[in-house]
Amino acid sequence: MLLLARTRSVLRVALVAVAMAAIFVADTLTNYEVAAAVLYAVVVLSAERALQPRALRALGMACIAMTVLSFMLTPRGHYHAGLINMGLSVSAIAMVTWLVLRMQRARAAAQAAQARLERIARAQNLSGLTTSIAHELNQPLAAIVTSGNAAQRWLAQAPPQLDKARQALQRMQADAERASSVIARVRSLTRGEPPQASRFDLNASVREIVALSHDRLQEEGIDLHQALAAGLPPVWADPVQVQQVIGNLLLNALDAMPAAPGARREVHIDTAREGDTVVFTIRDSGIGLAPEVQAHLFDAFWTTKPQGIGIGLSISRTIVEANGGRIWAEPAAGLGAVFRFSLPAAPQEKLP
Ligand code: ADP
């Protein structure tokens, strides 16, 4: 895919060069009255996707220089008309170049805003919780450290004060239980709203989420293959929550892609019917799942990413289970990881 993208952009540059040469020849050989140079503006416009801003600016300037050169080399026609035509062509090229540069800047800003939105959407599940978690967990954790130190001191005495040490250990256990009940409360909070189940087409949900990631897939040269089963029964679940899960699994797959140039970057998504359920599968050619990673995948706040929150998979599991399904992961046969979830197929009698 990366190779394909590179070949495509080399082809585009070659096409631009050919078009410029053709315009130059036409502009030079025809009379002054024929304003062929205006076509350079079309060249600049069509190169917008293939070139970086600096290269685009250079292209605009080259087009202007070639327009002037053609004017000087043109042997025939009405000189004044030629002068006016050249002026018009130069200003058209300059204006189009300026507009195209602005368009590029606007597109980059929109992409950055979208990436931020994605991150916020992930983090908002946590908003308001982080402060209270930190606050509520700090107290029992500090107490555990104090009791641990005390226990060590009692044990280090000669003879060791076993009774005192046992009391300190009991306090540690009670505090650890307090901390774990805080975590249990947090988990029940992240469970959020009860699902609003309805009948819907899982394939359509997949397509919507994939379309949202289109820009990132292209930018990073990731090849996405979809094999969405035809004739799937509708599922019975909360469509918004299910899309949240699909989006999260897809983002994780993209995050796991190897950075090395030339590496294989592929994501396969498929859907299938299995008994009374519909199963969604996403397989990537990413870094894969080491055993220690696999053991913690679905733990809340467990992450290996520098900017990660580590709650996406935990929330995904809560959602899938609340909707009557199951989610699991396994290392892929070759490279990468496989994540799957199942959802109940909607019974016939359940209306939309
Ligand atoms: P986050 O994305 O914020 O780290 P998640 O709960 O979504 O939180 O994921 C937890 C961890 O699971 C990730 O940090 C990563 O180590 C691992 N993981 C998730 N998806 C994949 C994947 N497709 N390939 C490899 N590791 C993964």
Side-chain angles (χ1 to χ4, degrees):
M1 176 78 195
L2 200 66
L3 197 69
L4 203 71
R6 240 179 248 152
T7 319
R8 242 186 246 149
S9 79
V10 168
L11 262 177
R12 260 193 220 140
V13 172
L15 265 176
V16 164
V18 170
M20 283 175 72
I23 296 170
F24 182 77
V25 172
D27 196 29
T28 310
L29 296 184
T30 52
N31 286 0
Y32 279 131
E33 289 84 345
V34 181
V38 143
L39 293 175
Y40 285 125
V42 181
V43 172
V44 175
L45 199 61
S46 59
E48 189 256 333
R49 293 251 174 193
L51 299 182
Q52 298 291 321
R54 201 190 291 175
L56 258 179
R57 229 171 282 135
L59 178 69
M61 270 155 38
C63 288
I64 290 174
M66 285 166 82
T67 306
V68 176
L69 189 64
S70 275
F71 173 72
M72 292 189 320
L73 296 177
T74 297
R76 292 182 301 274
H78 195 277
Y79 183 81
H80 281 287
L83 202 60
I84 291 172
N85 278 344
M86 183 193 69
L88 286 176
S89 300
V90 166
S91 40
I93 297 166
M95 244 150 72
V96 167
T97 310
W98 182 73
L99 283 175
V100 158
L101 285 169
R102 287 204 55 165
M103 204 152 86
Q104 272 195 338
R105 228 178 299 146
R107 187 174 301 123
Q111 269 167 5
Q114 195 188 5
R116 268 196 72 198
L117 261 178
E118 275 177 13
R119 282 202 297 276
I120 291 169
R122 279 172 154 201
Q124 90 179 15
N125 299 301
L126 272 176
S127 64
L129 285 183
T130 12
T131 331
S132 67
I133 296 163
H135 183 76
E136 291 203 45
L137 278 181
N138 251 349
Q139 227 191 336
L141 291 180
I144 288 171
V145 173
T146 311
S147 304
N149 289 340
Q152 258 179 343
R153 274 200 309 276
W154 292 126
L155 288 174
Q157 290 200 353
Q161 302 280 311
L162 293 181
D163 239 22
K164 300 266 189 197
R166 191 177 310 121
Q167 282 167 19
L169 289 173
Q170 270 164 357
R171 283 199 304 277
M172 279 173 77
Q173 194 175 341
D175 283 321
E177 274 160 16
R178 251 171 75 203
S180 101
S181 79
V182 171
I183 292 175
R185 268 208 323 277
V186 170
R187 277 213 76 181
S188 74
L189 273 175
T190 55
R191 216 159 271 157
E193 295 291 306
Q196 303 275 314
S198 66
R199 224 178 137 88
F200 68 94
D201 176 11
L202 187 67
N203 286 348
S205 302
V206 172
R207 282 192 205 100
E208 269 176 40
I209 297 293
V210 167
L212 279 178
S213 312
H214 178 261
D215 281 0
R216 182 165 169 200
L217 290 168
Q218 256 208 336
E219 219 170 77
E220 298 180 14
I222 298 168
D223 220 347
L224 186 112
H225 302 269
Q226 293 182 70
L228 308 181
L232 271 190
V235 293
W236 182 253
D238 184 324
V240 178
Q241 290 189 343
V242 171
Q243 281 202 322
Q244 203 181 334
V245 175
I246 299 171
N248 185 57
L249 294 180
L250 181 57
L251 285 179
N252 275 345
L254 303 189
D255 286 348
M257 287 293 138
R264 209 177 93 207
R265 293 194 188 85
E266 275 176 24
V267 176
H268 295 256
I269 290 182
D270 67 66
T271 53
R273 181 185 193 144
E274 279 180 25
D276 286 334
T277 66
V278 173
V279 177
F280 167 95
T281 304
I282 180 164
R283 180 161 57 86
D284 61 61
S285 61
I287 48 174
L289 303 173
E292 66 276 16
V293 172
Q294 211 176 341
H296 294 288
L297 278 177
F298 294 94
D299 291 355
F301 308 119
W302 191 88
T303 181
T304 55
K305 302 174 195 169
Q307 310 296 329
I309 302 166
I311 192 130
L313 285 177
S314 148
I315 287 181
S316 297
R317 182 166 69 179
T318 310
I319 288 177
V320 171
E321 287 175 358
N323 281 281
R326 208 163 69 78
I327 185 168
W328 68 103
E330 55 205 52
L335 285 171
V338 181
F339 283 81
R340 288 184 214 275
F341 69 79
S342 65
L343 287 172
Q348 287 299 330
E349 69 274 15
K350 291 226 160 114
L351 294 169

